Amino acid sequence: MDDLELQRLVEEISLAEFGKPFRHKAYFNSRLKTTGGRYMLNTHHVEINRKYLEQLGHQELCGIIRHELCHYHLHIEGKGYKHRDQDFKILMKAVGAPRFCSPLPGDYQRKGKKRDIIYFCKSCGQRYHRRRNINTQKYVCGKCRGRLVKINGNETI
């Protein structure tokens, strides 16, 4: 699929799902790494990550397009176009657009936490997962104020 076919697909989805024309440009942007698509506020263009089409298929691409068109149409109409806005949430639900795109099964997917340090409360057994070390002499359990002990990630208590 090239940019011209993508433009036609976006225009078709816009008319079919939203009942409104898409009057700006839609194109693939190979520099997008961690997101499926992007709506540009200044130019009103829609950029799509080609890897989502190649690795996850046409269905995922249509979902990303619907999501970006929600931003587009609401912004053009002067309504709430941000993820946290109620207008955006309602329109996404109405057209069946996904809130997030699926993770890519490749290099850009995060492979879990880099470092998972587990602290365990001696009194109540509460576990705390942290990325950084904490001073167990200074900090106590938030649940029962008991002493915290650092344990290994593979160990079970």
Side-chain angles (χ1 to χ4, degrees):
M1 177 180 274
D2 62 353
D3 286 348
L4 189 59
E5 292 175 49
L6 177 67
Q7 178 73 33
R8 283 193 208 114
L9 179 62
V10 171
E11 289 171 0
E12 287 172 15
I13 291 174
S14 181
L15 280 174
E17 301 284 331
F18 297 86
K20 300 169 190 168
F22 178 74
R23 293 194 171 104
H24 292 84
K25 289 184 181 177
Y27 51 90
F28 288 109
N29 182 347
S30 60
R31 289 173 291 138
L32 295 177
K33 300 291 183 194
T34 58
T35 184
R38 175 166 71 174
Y39 167 64
M40 308 299 288
L41 291 172
N42 297 338
T43 60
H44 304 296
H45 298 327
V46 171
E47 297 178 347
I48 302 292
N49 186 343
R50 184 184 297 273
K51 287 186 185 268
Y52 278 84
L53 172 63
E54 294 167 355
Q55 294 182 19
L56 298 175
H58 187 76
Q59 191 75 21
E60 183 73 20
L61 176 71
C62 290
I64 293 168
I65 291 170
R66 282 195 304 272
H67 178 98
E68 299 309 325
L69 284 173
C70 288
H71 288 298
Y72 171 80
H73 288 298
L74 289 170
H75 184 246
I76 295 288
E77 294 169 7
K79 295 181 180 176
Y81 60 89
K82 296 178 184 174
H83 289 117
R84 66 176 177 257
D85 294 330
Q86 197 63 32
D87 292 332
F88 183 77
K89 291 175 183 177
I90 291 168
L91 184 59
M92 273 200 357
K93 198 171 206 174
V95 297
R99 174 74 173 84
F100 301 105
C101 50
S102 303
L104 282 173
D107 323 6
Y108 308 114
Q109 181 181 3
R110 227 170 154 191
K111 307 254 191 309
K113 293 182 178 177
K114 291 180 185 174
R115 204 165 103 184
D116 197 16
I117 303 167
I118 302 171
Y119 291 92
F120 176 78
C121 175
K122 282 186 170 180
S123 302
C124 68
Q126 176 71 33
R127 286 178 170 234
Y128 296 94
H129 295 262
R130 297 290 179 267
R131 284 195 179 179
R132 294 184 178 182
N133 285 316
I134 62 170
N135 183 352
T136 55
Q137 301 299 315
K138 183 178 178 182
Y139 294 99
V140 295
C141 176
K143 194 173 179 183
C144 72
R145 303 196 57 77
R147 277 193 53 112
L148 295 176
V149 178
K150 183 177 176 179
I151 61 171
N152 214 349
N154 302 333
E155 225 175 275
T156 56
I157 295 180

